Amino acid sequence: MKTNFKVIAFDADDTLWVNETFFRETEEKFCALLAEFSTSNKTMEELFATEMQNLEEYGYGTKGFVLSMIETALKITKIKYHSKHWSRS
């Protein structure tokens, strides 16, 4: 099939671009919370893998991100993550 495309357009969700810095900042704080259990690199790898695994069910956005962080924290701490950790700023 031959086509004569002259222009290709991409429609990106600019709301995600604006909020990307907040997601990155949250990831850094998340890694700091789990520092006694895992390195930042390992935590980020596990979080990414969890997000990809959950993507079809939760989609993109805050809900999927937060649920994936909770799941990742439970995996990394082997479900030993005490509530005292959640109160850190």
Side-chain angles (χ1 to χ4, degrees):
M1 179 172 129
K2 185 178 178 182
T3 60
N4 293 319
F5 290 113
K6 294 183 181 182
V7 176
I8 297 176
F10 295 95
D11 182 19
D13 188 342
D14 60 336
T15 58
L16 291 177
W17 291 351
V18 171
N19 291 312
E20 185 68 18
T21 56
F22 299 116
F23 282 96
R24 296 295 76 85
E25 182 180 325
T26 303
E27 287 173 339
E28 289 175 12
K29 290 180 180 181
F30 180 67
C31 289
L33 281 172
L34 295 175
E36 67 184 87
F37 301 99
S38 177
T39 66
S40 289
N41 286 341
K42 177 65 178 156
T43 298
M44 289 300 297
E45 287 175 8
E46 189 65 45
L47 177 58
F48 181 75
T50 303
E51 285 182 281
M52 293 301 101
Q53 176 184 323
N54 293 336
L55 190 58
E56 187 173 324
E57 185 170 348
Y58 300 143
Y60 287 104
T62 304
K63 175 186 171 184
F65 183 65
V66 171
L67 291 172
S68 292
M69 284 194 302
I70 293 168
E71 187 176 334
T72 300
L74 294 173
K75 283 181 195 174
I76 288 176
T77 64
K78 298 178 178 39
I79 312 178
K80 295 177 185 169
Y81 199 78
H82 192 276
S83 60
K84 69 178 182 175
H85 294 98
W86 296 110
S87 63
R88 292 186 187 172
S89 317

